[in-house]
Amino acid sequence: MLTNKTISTPRLKQFVRFFRESGTPVFFIHGNGSSSFFWEETMQNLPEDFRGIAPDLRGYGDTEDQLIDATRGIADWVADFQALREALGIEQYHIAGHSLGGAFLFPLIAEEGERVLSATLVAPGSPFGFGGTKDEKGTPNYADFAGSGGGIVNAEFAKLMGQKDRGSDNPQASPRVVMNTFYWKPPFKPEREEEYLSSLLSQKTGDTRYPGDFVPSENYPFVAPGNYGPINSTSPKYIGASVEKFIHAEAKPPVLWIRGAEDQIVSDNSLFDFGTLGKLGLIPNYPGEDVYPPQPMVSQTRYVLEQYQRNGGTYTEVVFDDCGHTPFVEKPEQFLTRFHPFLENHK
């Protein structure tokens, strides 16, 4: 049975979804433009000896609205998670993260890998951050990390999100259209489409929330990261330093990496990346692939996980055909046939 609770910690009040009161804990971390709701059906299908715990991250859903200090990278979310885990009295756990929530797992494992029984990355953002880097090693295109941070978000989309717009009349920015075009592969639509849209619209918006602030840049695409909000938190300017800590973490839980073959958000040619958009001629003043190529997000993740494996860890990559950015929603049965044995094998 699903229950919802608000858990007070020394850091903030977190809204948390629970499934079952006993069993080995499995945490579920949602992505950007969503909330813990996205994981409800996956939680309800957990094997009997597991219980599910899914928090709304700071800046999302029904968790207390507090500022995200992006200059700390993902550290605010990691500290929030640790405070929640301690409040719940949990010592060890499995964890699954989707998109931004998948990128969250890299610094989390670097911090407390000894507590993690297994980690499932679902369409994770690159461990080097989103935007502004080239090659599999995450080399920045420019010293100011132009092309990452709050300035790369479609301002009209963020505006409509803040207005809780449920329409579909803007083909470039309506939250419903963006969700049904990019979160999953069209023509798929989930049965609970309205509830998924409500989850998307529950994100906090504003200059210091989503998408966050930004500064002008002399470098293409002429914006560089600011200091606040979730998209700045995932800029390689702030998050990239955690990669080496992950690769060389003393404790290395097993990693399962699941992604859709036709993901348009996290890919080596992401339609949310200014390298891809410039190459396609959709953004003016593109300096060319030699200066600003599409970010190889999937290749970067594979490179980091291979380094993790060379240093004593293990990982398995699974690709679902005919699937977009949210495999556990688009292909739930296929997802569970991979996810459940992975949990069972690493109790």
Side-chain angles (χ1 to χ4, degrees):
M1 177 179 177
L2 281 168
T3 57
N4 303 330
K5 298 179 184 178
T6 297
I7 307 296
S8 295
T9 77
R11 292 183 57 80
L12 80 171
K13 296 177 181 177
Q14 285 195 261
F15 178 86
V16 186
R17 286 177 164 86
F18 294 89
F19 179 68
R20 293 202 186 101
E21 295 182 356
S22 62
T24 304
V26 185
F27 282 98
F28 294 89
I29 310 299
H30 65 80
N32 184 57
S34 65
S35 73
S36 57
F37 170 79
F38 268 59
W39 285 111
E40 271 199 0
E41 293 181 18
T42 304
M43 292 171 64
Q44 289 175 294
N45 283 289
L46 280 170
E48 290 186 4
D49 47 351
F50 295 90
R51 59 177 168 137
I53 306 167
D56 285 351
L57 297 176
R58 176 186 298 236
Y60 297 83
D62 292 319
T63 282
E64 180 183 1
D65 184 12
Q66 287 200 24
L67 191 69
I68 298 170
D69 179 358
T71 65
R72 287 164 42 83
I74 289 180
D76 270 354
W77 288 319
V78 170
D80 291 345
F81 174 85
Q82 291 174 314
L84 175 64
R85 175 184 57 70
E86 290 172 5
L88 297 175
I90 292 171
E91 294 294 326
Q92 289 192 305
Y93 55 89
H94 299 272
I95 190 164
H98 173 231
S99 195
L100 180 148
F104 164 92
L105 299 192
F106 295 105
L108 177 69
I109 289 170
E111 284 288 319
E112 57 174 52
E114 72 282 356
R115 297 185 182 276
V116 180
L117 297 169
S118 76
T120 300
L121 309 173
V122 187
S126 167
F128 292 108
F130 198 100
T133 65
K134 56 189 172 186
D135 69 42
E136 64 181 12
K137 297 182 180 180
T139 304
N141 295 324
Y142 301 110
D144 66 352
F145 296 90
S148 67
I152 69 172
V153 173
N154 182 323
E156 186 66 15
F157 170 72
K159 175 184 174 182
L160 293 174
M161 179 189 284
Q163 293 173 350
K164 312 298 182 188
D165 182 274
R166 306 187 74 90
S168 56
D169 55 337
N170 187 323
Q172 302 298 324
S174 293
R176 182 187 299 276
V177 174
V178 170
M179 181 181 76
N180 285 328
T181 303
F182 297 106
Y183 280 35
W184 21 81
K185 182 192 172 187
F188 174 86
K189 289 184 180 181
E191 289 184 10
R192 302 170 75 188
E193 177 186 348
E194 296 305 321
E195 290 165 280
Y196 281 108
L197 180 60
S198 295
S199 175
L200 185 163
L201 296 174
S202 69
Q203 182 162 349
K204 279 77 171 179
T205 60
D207 289 343
T208 58
R209 270 58 181 176
Y210 177 82
D213 57 331
F214 62 92
V215 297
S217 171
E218 296 180 350
N219 302 310
Y220 174 88
F222 314 111
V223 289
N227 297 321
Y228 303 104
I231 306 305
N232 285 311
S233 292
T234 60
S235 164
K237 179 178 181 179
Y238 305 123
I239 194 177
S242 64
V243 172
E244 286 299 314
K245 293 181 180 178
F246 167 77
I247 290 172
H248 297 289
E250 186 172 341
K252 289 184 167 64
V255 172
L256 174 63
W257 174 22
I258 298 178
R259 61 184 182 88
E262 299 184 57
D263 190 339
Q264 299 183 82
I265 296 178
V266 175
S267 79
D268 284 356
N269 288 282
S270 169
L271 291 177
F272 285 66
D273 173 63
F274 276 79
T276 303
L277 297 175
K279 181 180 176 181
L280 293 173
L282 300 175
I283 305 294
N285 301 307
Y286 179 55
E289 284 191 75
D290 56 331
V291 175
Y292 203 111
Q295 180 185 356
M297 302 176 188
V298 171
S299 297
Q300 288 176 348
T301 297
R302 187 178 298 114
Y303 170 80
V304 169
L305 289 174
E306 286 175 353
Q307 299 304 308
Y308 181 78
Q309 186 160 270
R310 288 192 183 102
N311 283 274
T314 62
Y315 86 96
T316 301
E317 179 181 356
V318 178
V319 183
F320 292 174
D321 292 331
D322 193 36
C323 182
H325 186 59
T326 317
F328 56 96
V329 173
E330 297 173 74
K331 307 278 186 180
E333 293 183 6
Q334 190 174 350
F335 179 82
L336 295 179
T337 61
R338 288 290 192 161
F339 183 51
H340 288 176
F342 184 64
L343 295 178
E344 296 280 6
N345 291 336
H346 297 99
K347 288 183 178 179

